C-alpha cells in the first residue's frame, strides 16, 4: 500500500507516497514536450542513460547520468530499471491497487538497447507479483 508521512515540510500537513500513474511518469519524462522521444530530447544518445550500450550490465545509483535529465530535472527515467506504474496496463484509467492484473512499466532498463528506450514505450506482461533485477520504482509525494 501507499505510505503516509507527517511533516515532510514544516506546516505542510500530511503526505501520501505512491507509485506514479503512467501519465504522471510521462509528464515527468517530457514536461509535456511532444518532441521529446527521450527525456533529454528527440535524439538517442547512449551516453545519457544506463542501458546495454554502457556495458555495465547492472543497475546503478540514481544520478550517475545527469546529462539524461528530463526538462523538470528527473533523473534516470530511461535506463537503469523499468519503473512500475500504479495503473493497470490494459485499463490505463484503473488505479485499483487491490488488482493483481498486469501493470505498466516504463523507462527501459540497464539491459535495453536504444529501440525500446523512448518515453512512449509501455511494457506489460507483468503482474504486481513479478520480480526482476530489471524492475524498480520511483515514488511521488502527494500533499493530502
Amino acid at each position: 500500500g501507499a505510505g503516509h508521512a507527517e511533516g515532510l515540510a514544516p506546516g505542510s500537513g500530511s503526505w501520501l507516497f505512491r507509485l506514479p500513474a503512467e501519465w504522471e511518469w510521462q509528464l515527468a519524462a517530457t514536461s509535456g514536450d511532444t518532441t521529446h522521444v527521450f527525456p533529454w530530447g528527440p535524439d538517442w544518445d547512449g551516453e545519457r542513460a544506463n542501458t546495454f550500450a554502457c556495458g555495465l550490465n547492472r543497475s546503478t545509483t540514481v544520478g550517475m547520468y545527469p546529462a539524461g535529465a528530463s526538462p523538470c530535472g528527473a533523473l534516470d527515467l530511461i535506463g537503469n530499471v523499468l519503473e512500475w506504474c500504479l495503473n493497470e496496463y490494459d485499463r490505463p484509467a484503473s488505479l485499483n491497487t487491490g488488482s493483481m492484473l498486469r501493470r505498466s512499466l516504463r523507462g527501459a532498463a540497464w539491459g535495453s538497447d536504444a529501440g525500446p528506450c523512448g518515453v512512449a514505450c509501455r511494457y506489460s506482461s507483468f503482474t504486481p507479483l513479478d520480480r526482476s533485477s530489471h524492475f524498480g520504482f520511483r515514488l511521488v509525494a502527494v500533499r493530502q
Side-chain angles (χ1 to χ4, degrees), residues 54-136:
C54 296
L56 293 176
N57 297 318
R58 64 179 174 81
S59 61
T60 62
T61 303
V62 171
M64 298 297 291
Y65 294 87
S70 73
C72 73
L75 298 168
D76 297 319
L77 286 160
I78 297 296
N80 218 25
V81 294
L82 283 164
E83 297 181 6
W84 287 103
C85 291
L86 185 61
N87 57 289
E88 294 175 8
Y89 182 83
D90 294 312
R91 296 183 316 158
S94 177
L95 303 177
N96 180 358
T97 59
S99 164
M100 288 295 120
L101 298 174
R102 298 184 308 164
R103 299 289 167 172
S104 292
L105 289 120
R106 299 291 294 267
W110 51 266
S112 300
D113 61 19
C117 285
V119 295
C121 290
R122 302 175 73 217
Y123 295 85
S124 66
S125 305
F126 303 103
T127 72
L129 299 176
D130 292 318
R131 301 292 181 263
S132 169
S133 63
H134 290 238
F135 299 166

Side-chain angles (χ1 to χ4, degrees), residues 17-20 137-141:
F17 297 91
R18 61 169 173 77
L19 294 173
F137 61 91
R138 114 179 20 236
L139 298 176
V140 295

